[in-house]
Amino acid sequence: MNWPSAIKGFQAYLKLERSLSPNSIEAYTRDIGRLFEFAEIQESKLTPESVTLSDLRRFITWINELGMIPSSQARILSGIKAFYKYMLMEDLIKIDPSELLESPKITRKLPDTLSYEDINKLIDAIDLSRPEGARNKAIMETLYGCGLRVSELTELKLSNLYLDIEFIKVFGKGSKERLVPIGGSAIKALKIWIEQVRVHNPIKKGEDDYVFLNRRGSRLSRVYIFMLIKDLAAQTGLKKTISPHTFRHSFATHLVEGGADLRAVQEMLGHESITTTEIYTHLDREYLKGTIIQYHPRN
């Protein structure tokens, strides 16, 4: 089997069997594309079936020499492991060459968080006199107020808003569905955008259920959200390097610091493992100590 055919089959598996989003499938495809690129420059052209553990170790050395950081290497190796798991399931190979492959050791660098004051400054910097002002305010309030991933925000639909009971339905990684509470500030901003501004904008066919649309009536891209945040940071003189993910991280941090239950935060963020939530919210020792003192039966 050649690489394009194997990659095409892998994409179908990710879509149909694992129900991954287009963005995740694209990321996996890009990772396998790196291995394909490496295979093509070898003296004896490597096919997907002929790759060995030794080849994969040389591949790791190669991407390391390209200057790829350990976290990026680990992500690529995760994609390769998924690819060979698929090959094994489909009986395209007899032995998984990636089974004994070790990922590089990485240190988890926590992103910057924003204070409540920082978030207010960013939202207050939005020019509400401009046509897109109401939309941008609703974006920022929803992004922070619900702790959404940027892809969850751009894919948010009107049919999944239950503002009368203060919940929204979100489809996260692997199209996993969850209900997230939404607060008063975000509800107010959404209603102004939807009921007073969005109704007067042209809407492209097939895009009518998406909450956030551009001037041409199409759903917003993730790049637009990144640029919006970057512009607001520049306007307010914020020196931190921030992204949409910073708001998700700040949302979780503020909840935990305020005494929210970790399991509840886990549910709202859509994390499969509570361990991820503990790391993500970088619980400080005082919080953990206080929890033990409060709940341990011997105290």
Side-chain angles (χ1 to χ4, degrees), residues 4 25 50 61 67 97 119 145 161 182 199 246 250 257:
I25 293 171
S50 68
T61 302
I119 288 166
L161 300 181
I182 181 168
V199 289
T246 313
S250 301
E257 287 177 350

Side-chain angles (χ1 to χ4, degrees), residues 122 125 224-237:
L122 291 167
Y224 178 85
I225 310 297
F226 275 87
M227 294 305 297
L228 169 62
I229 289 169
K230 185 180 176 182
D231 288 346
L232 290 174
Q235 286 180 49
T236 57

Side-chain angles (χ1 to χ4, degrees), residues 11-129:
Q11 289 172 324
Y13 159 75
L14 294 174
K15 182 179 180 180
L16 302 174
E17 298 295 326
R18 292 188 53 185
S19 301
L20 295 189
S21 68
N23 289 331
S24 296
I25 293 171
E26 184 185 339
Y28 272 114
T29 302
R30 199 162 47 240
D31 294 341
I32 304 307
R34 288 280 190 180
L35 182 58
F36 177 24
E37 186 182 342
F38 170 78
E40 287 287 285
I41 61 174
Q42 305 308 302
E43 285 186 20
S44 56
K45 295 282 179 72
L46 296 171
T47 63
E49 307 99 308
S50 68
V51 169
T52 64
L53 177 59
S54 176
D55 293 325
L56 291 177
R57 283 173 174 158
R58 286 191 296 113
F59 169 70
I60 293 170
T61 302
W62 180 67
I63 60 175
N64 187 53
E65 288 171 351
L66 289 176
M68 199 165 289
I69 60 175
S71 58
S72 296
Q73 293 178 36
R75 193 205 65 242
I76 288 174
L77 295 188
S78 174
I80 288 170
K81 284 178 178 287
F83 174 68
Y84 278 107
K85 181 181 178 183
Y86 150 75
M87 295 278 285
L88 195 64
M89 285 171 56
E90 294 293 318
D91 289 325
L92 298 172
I93 55 173
K94 298 299 179 188
I95 298 172
D96 180 357
S98 70
E99 189 174 6
L100 299 177
L101 196 62
E102 293 181 359
S103 294
K105 286 185 167 47
I106 57 174
T107 54
R108 186 182 285 263
K109 184 181 181 297
L110 292 165
D112 279 329
T113 57
L114 296 170
S115 67
Y116 188 64
E117 290 72 23
D118 286 337
I119 288 166
N120 277 337
K121 282 179 186 176
L122 291 167
I123 292 173
D124 289 344
I126 296 168
D127 185 354
L128 296 177
S129 68

Side-chain angles (χ1 to χ4, degrees), residues 123-166:
I123 292 173
D124 289 344
I126 296 168
D127 185 354
L128 296 177
S129 68
R130 297 175 64 86
E132 67 272 18
R135 181 201 62 199
N136 292 348
K137 182 170 183 178
I139 285 170
M140 298 295 285
E141 290 281 11
T142 307
L143 191 65
Y144 169 65
C146 298
L148 301 185
R149 299 178 177 97
V150 65
S151 56
E152 294 169 349
L153 182 87
T154 57
E155 295 295 315
L156 189 62
K157 294 184 177 180
L158 294 172
S159 55
N160 291 328
L161 300 181
Y162 305 98
L163 302 184
D164 53 331
I165 58 170
E166 301 181 355

Side-chain angles (χ1 to χ4, degrees), residues 149 152 176 178 248 265-272:
R149 299 178 177 97
E152 294 169 349
K176 289 181 180 172
R178 70 183 191 276
R248 178 170 160 86
V265 178
Q266 178 190 359
E267 287 293 323
M268 284 186 275
L269 293 173
H271 285 159
E272 284 191 16

Side-chain angles (χ1 to χ4, degrees), residues 201-209 213-214 216-219:
N201 289 355
I203 299 174
K204 196 173 177 181
K205 188 177 179 181
E207 306 280 88
D208 49 301
D209 198 24
L213 304 174
N214 60 26
R216 296 180 300 279
S218 298
R219 81 190 84 164

